Amino acid sequence: MFTPALLPRLAGRLFGLGALVAAGSLAAGTAGAVTAPMLVVDVDTGKVIYSQGATDPWYPASITKLMTTYVALDMVRQGRASMDQLLTISEAAAAEPPSKMGFKPGTQLTLDNALKIIMVKSANDVAWAIGENLGGSIDGFAALMNDTAQRLGMRESRWTNPNGLPDPRQWTSARDMAVLGRALLRDFPENRDLFSISAIQFGRAVMPNHNGLLGRYAGVDGMKTGFICSGGFNVVASANRNGRRILTVVMGQASARERDLKAADLFDYGFGQSSFGWGGQTLTELPASSVAAPPDMRPYICDKRRPMPTDSDSSAVTAGAAAGGNADNANAQLMAVGAQPSSALAFATMNSAALRNRALPPRAPLQPVLVWTGRDPAESAIAATDEAAPATAKPAARVKVAKPAPQKPAPSRSIAATGATVPQPKLLARHKGAPPASASAFASTGPATAVIAEPRAHKAAVKPVAKPAAKDAKPAAKPAQKAEAKPAVKSARKQDD
């Protein structure tokens, strides 16, 4: 049971709004106040436009992959790695839970494609492979993450894995993620497009970015979302209007929909403020938090009585509707707020129930970017053909009489290099039991084809001998022929079954 109580929290002299804190029980026998971290900062100057619980420790979830990406790009800049180098999926990487690509152990892909995949699909298996291949081990890569974080001035962060899957030792804060976001945009301007890819295409599959602000809020051009039950729904997002870039961090929300709406409202508020009116506080000047450890949001985010929420806008809305509003009510009790409803900031800090009837505009059409395994699309197509070879051999072994038509050759390297969609190993594996397209005219008829083909071949050899035998009044010849023919037909049926 929750006992809501409103506590004052200073948000800054310019806003005239008290930040809003809810009192609630975070674990059995433990009560405390929780503030959902929110932060708006100017990218160029580092000046804070709005701050709420910005230095409180929080579980990062998949926004961890921004840290993984910074370390990887930094290693490339130092000449210790290259975007074209091949990473190998290990058994440990392949065993990581979803979200994932599902690559088999031994699969290789370039670092460039790996970074695109973790930024869009948020694939945990690929992020794990980046850590293992670049750091020598996960512990080795975590050490690089921690060293880099300290160098960038991320005071509250501690890292243990490259994908953000639950680990009670892995913390960050909204302030630290804003520091990291600014560093990525500042230090690697040539890689900014990495954070704004609307979708990736792997083979025939198109996978949209989990970031529900992309293509739905004017000016948003990155960066990354994340979700685990213990940390709720998080996002680090950047937007640019008229040459002015703002970074917004929202953490601990009950659904992807609420996270996106609140981030949009914070952008509205940030862009509505004059740069001349901001206070002098910067990210480095934000005071340290008095909170000793991150709160565990699992009891409020992942209620066993309703479907498990996912890091996508449509799924989160469905889950909330299925719960009959229970998720909204629980989150409202956990993070009760009080704000004047006359500004975008007030909307951003409102509880879940107040956002129930709001929605962002429909998403703009996706513009998928091609990714592949191997060094290039042609190599990926060749690997797909090699993996599909056992499936093409089985129908030919069953039907001995008629030979299937020759298999179509794999796409040439010159065609595949143009960026055209090519078969991928993972997708072909799903249809491994189906006959190849080149043999479908024969093999798709199944046992009937073998039954018809076998007697025709037999009759062609027997008829010239059988008819003269009948004229010589030897009635035993025809039954003998039938007796010989029937077992052949039955044998063919049995073989196809």
Side-chain angles (χ1 to χ4, degrees), residues 125-212:
D125 50 355
V126 176
W128 196 268
I130 293 174
E132 286 183 327
N133 284 265
L134 298 188
S137 67
I138 294 301
D139 289 341
F141 192 80
L144 293 175
M145 295 171 74
N146 286 311
D147 290 344
T148 303
Q150 289 184 4
R151 175 166 57 83
L152 294 177
M154 300 170 67
R155 299 190 305 241
E156 291 85 34
S157 296
R158 48 173 79 176
W159 307 102
T160 61
N161 68 59
N163 54 21
L165 283 172
D167 188 326
R169 302 167 298 166
Q170 184 149 296
W171 305 353
T172 190
S173 68
R175 189 201 79 93
D176 278 7
M177 295 312 299
V179 170
L180 176 60
R182 289 187 68 224
L184 282 165
L185 297 172
R186 177 193 67 227
D187 297 344
F188 308 107
E190 68 279 7
N191 298 111
R192 285 185 179 180
D193 291 346
L194 189 62
F195 311 108
S196 59
I197 301 172
S198 64
I200 56 173
Q201 180 173 344
F202 180 72
R204 298 178 182 87
V206 174
M207 306 167 214
N209 198 312
H210 289 180
N211 188 347

Side-chain angles (χ1 to χ4, degrees), residues 10 20 105 115 131 133 143 154 235 262 272 322 328 333 348 386 389 391 451 457 466:
L10 182 62
L20 313 156
L115 293 176
N133 284 265
M154 300 170 67
V235 66
K262 291 184 179 182
D328 287 341
Q333 292 180 0
D386 291 342
V451 172

Side-chain angles (χ1 to χ4, degrees), residues 368-392:
V369 172
L370 185 69
V371 296
W372 56 87
T373 55
R375 294 187 182 278
D376 53 47
E379 183 175 324
S380 182
I382 293 171
T385 303
D386 291 342
E387 184 168 329
T392 63

Side-chain angles (χ1 to χ4, degrees), residues 283-343:
L283 285 173
T284 57
E285 295 168 344
L286 286 173
S289 173
S290 60
V291 178
D296 187 355
M297 305 295 290
R298 178 177 291 275
Y300 319 113
I301 304 296
C302 299
D303 189 336
K304 293 181 179 179
R305 295 171 296 179
R306 55 192 175 92
M308 175 68 71
T310 58
D311 194 8
S312 63
D313 184 64
S314 59
S315 297
V317 172
T318 302
N326 291 336
D328 287 341
N329 295 336
N331 197 54
Q333 292 180 0
L334 177 66
M335 297 181 179
V337 295
Q340 300 174 5
S342 58
S343 69

Side-chain angles (χ1 to χ4, degrees), residues 52-125:
Q52 173 178 299
T55 58
D56 290 351
W58 209 267
Y59 295 121
S62 279
I63 59 175
T64 295
K65 295 180 176 78
L66 289 174
M67 189 76 238
T68 300
T69 300
Y70 188 98
V71 172
L73 294 177
D74 193 40
M75 292 181 70
V76 171
R77 180 173 58 177
Q78 297 174 30
R80 299 164 59 192
S82 72
M83 297 297 277
D84 293 330
Q85 80 175 78
L86 289 175
L87 311 179
T88 302
I89 303 292
S90 67
E91 291 186 3
E96 287 295 282
S99 174
K100 62 195 295 184
M101 292 296 289
F103 291 138
K104 294 180 179 180
T107 301
Q108 292 187 315
L109 69 163
T110 63
L111 176 59
D112 181 60
N113 279 326
L115 293 176
K116 291 173 181 174
I117 289 171
I118 68 170
M119 283 296 104
V120 176
K121 172 66 174 172
S122 198
N124 293 320
D125 50 355

